[in-house]
Each structure stands twice: as structure tokens, then as C-alpha cells.
Amino acid sequence: MATLPNPLPTLAADPSGRSLGLGLPLGRLIDETDDGPWHEPLLWHAEYTASSGAWTALGTQAARTGLLPVLIDVGGTQGGPEEWELMPGEMSYPGDHDPEELLAEYWAYAIEEPGDLDEAIAPYDETWPGPAPAPESLPADPDTRAAETADALLDEGSWFKDPRLALVPARRSADIPAAIGWTGPLNYENDVARLCAILRSWEDRFGIRVVALGFDRLTVSVAAPPTTKDEAEAVAAEHFAFCPDNITQGDHETLRAYAEHAVLGQRVWSFWWD
């Protein structure tokens, strides 16, 4: 995967990050992958549980150095990222993929799952309905919304067992999963950069930011969520192509119900792959 120069090796000799203009708390560099140590660190994460305000205090500052913030869970049954079987060598570059072509491809694949999906994907059929339209403008600043979402996840509780603030060398927030070689969707897509291409499209259209990662979970903040039923259903169709498990194995068993409860006006979108 094509990447920017990685500032993380600097932290091996300068853990505080002062040479980068940072004031980092005690943390650790992660280079463990499924094939052994990577040639350079993939991410840094704090040694202590993240609290409200950590994203703003550190993430905004770190972004100026090419390190983007993301919350990670180190307390799940699969442990932290050193145990996630990261595969950075298997990742392509998100910018090399067309998100509309990918969504159409994933839609065709998803509707081939065993069982009758006609009711589940209504009002659509087997034909890919096309991408959801972008709103005319973003009602909120995407980075401000990301910080608010991070604080809400930490304050109100979520699927996190032990959240830590991490920093990842990436060109844009949508690229974070591919930049670390994340394999959460491995049973659905081996090359997460292809999914990141769709995240880039959502970043451009809806102002999303990748806010949190677990072993197989992804959460994004949304600056411009759909505000009408039709818009929400169009976005829900993209979610179904991106992550069919959200509907086929989620709390909302139909696309219409999912659109109403998980997309319409929602400032947070979450995905989980079996």
C-alpha cells in the first residue's frame, strides 16, 4: 500500500514525541503482524484507558505530523492489535479502486447469500440501485463531529472493553484500516483497502471519519447523515453491500428497518463482520 513517510519510528528513540511537536503519554508501538514483525511500526497506542477529551487533546495535534487518531479496543476476547493478525503486506492502495464499481460488485455478491433476501433488501431488487446522493452541504465540521463521537463513545459506554487512543500514519481517516493491515472483514474481503475506497467516498459525501476499531468492528462518525427516508434507504443499500452482516445478522432484519433505525439522522455508523 502506498503511504506517506511514517513518523512512528521516531517515537522509538523519542517516546514523548517532542521532536514531532507532540506531548505523548506513556504508550507502545505496534509492529506485530500475521507474518511476524513489520519493517516499521504500524501504529502507536496509549498504555492507559482513553477518557473524554483525549481525542481533541492529542489527535488534532498529531494530525499535523501525519498521524491520525482512532480509538482501538485492547480488552476484547481477541486482545489488542498485536493479536489481531494484521496483514499490511496484503493491502493495496484505496485510491486505486473505484468505489461505485466496488459497491456494485459487493451488492451482487451479497444477494447471492443462501436464503430469500427479496423482503430483506426491499425496496430494491437484485439490480444494484446505485450510490446514494451526497447532501448539498455538510452541516457539521467532520473533524469536530469525530471528536464529539469519540467522547460520546467513551462517556456513554459502547462495545469497548478497554478503549485506547491510537495514532496511525495515514493519508486520510478513511485509509486507517488499510494502513495498519486490519483484517476485521477477512471472511468478506481480504484486501481492506477496497473497503477503504468506499469509506473515502463516504468521507467525501457524508463527512465520515473512522473513529473506532476492534478486532472485527468499525465505527465511523457522520457529519451529514441522511435526513429523509429515501436518502436513508439509499445509504442503507450501500451499507448492505459494504457489510451484509449488519442486516442479515443484525438487530434490524430488513433494509427498510435498518435505514430507519441505524441510518436516518444517525451521527454514528457501526459495522461488524462475522
Side-chain angles (χ1 to χ4, degrees):
M1 173 179 166
T3 60
L4 294 172
N6 186 352
L8 290 180
T10 303
L11 301 182
D14 175 25
S16 70
R18 289 176 182 170
S19 61
L20 298 175
L22 304 175
L24 298 179
L26 183 64
R28 60 180 302 185
L29 295 167
I30 302 297
D31 65 359
E32 289 88 347
T33 76
D34 189 53
D35 293 325
W38 195 238
H39 63 273
E40 61 183 4
L42 296 166
L43 70 148
W44 170 95
H45 73 73
E47 288 283 20
Y48 300 106
T49 300
S51 58
S52 178
W55 183 285
T56 300
L58 183 56
T60 302
Q61 187 182 39
R64 301 190 187 102
T65 73
L67 296 171
L68 301 184
V70 64
L71 297 174
I72 60 170
D73 187 16
V74 305
T77 56
Q78 294 84 8
E82 68 274 14
E83 301 174 66
W84 287 358
E85 300 176 347
L86 302 178
M87 298 182 181
E90 301 300 317
M91 304 298 151
S92 59
Y93 177 56
D96 289 340
H97 306 285
D98 184 303
E100 292 190 25
E101 291 179 0
L102 288 173
L103 284 166
E105 176 187 331
Y106 288 139
W107 178 270
Y109 175 77
I111 63 174
E112 291 178 355
E113 290 293 308
D116 184 4
L117 289 177
D118 289 348
E119 182 177 349
I121 64 173
Y124 305 112
D125 55 28
E126 295 182 357
T127 304
W128 165 238
E136 293 183 1
S137 61
L138 299 181
D141 174 71
D143 294 319
T144 300
R145 178 60 52 81
E148 294 170 350
T149 300
D151 286 349
L153 287 172
L154 296 170
D155 287 342
E156 300 171 8
S158 63
W159 49 266
F160 279 123
K161 302 298 183 183
D162 188 357
R164 308 288 177 87
L165 184 69
L167 300 176
V168 176
R171 292 176 181 270
R172 48 196 290 182
S173 180
D175 294 356
I176 286 174
I180 68 171
W182 187 59
T183 56
L186 189 61
N187 291 336
Y188 186 62
E189 173 57 76
N190 294 335
D191 182 1
V192 171
R194 285 160 53 88
L195 295 178
C196 288
I198 296 172
L199 291 176
R200 280 185 169 205
S201 179
W202 292 348
E203 196 173 73
D204 294 338
R205 284 180 289 156
F206 307 110
I208 70 102
R209 295 290 187 268
V210 174
V211 172
L213 287 173
F215 174 73
D216 54 9
R217 292 178 181 270
L218 165 70
T219 298
V220 305
S221 60
V222 190
T227 57
T228 70
K229 172 177 173 291
D230 288 345
E231 291 171 352
E233 288 179 354
V235 170
E238 294 194 28
H239 286 201
F240 177 70
F242 183 81
C243 178
D245 291 342
N246 262 30
I247 294 174
T248 59
Q249 299 190 51
D251 295 332
H252 312 295
E253 297 180 353
T254 67
L255 191 146
R256 280 193 171 113
Y258 176 84
E260 179 181 356
H261 298 287
V263 178
L264 182 63
Q266 296 299 311
R267 298 179 177 184
V268 180
W269 297 342
S270 293
F271 305 92
W272 166 81
W273 289 266
D274 188 3

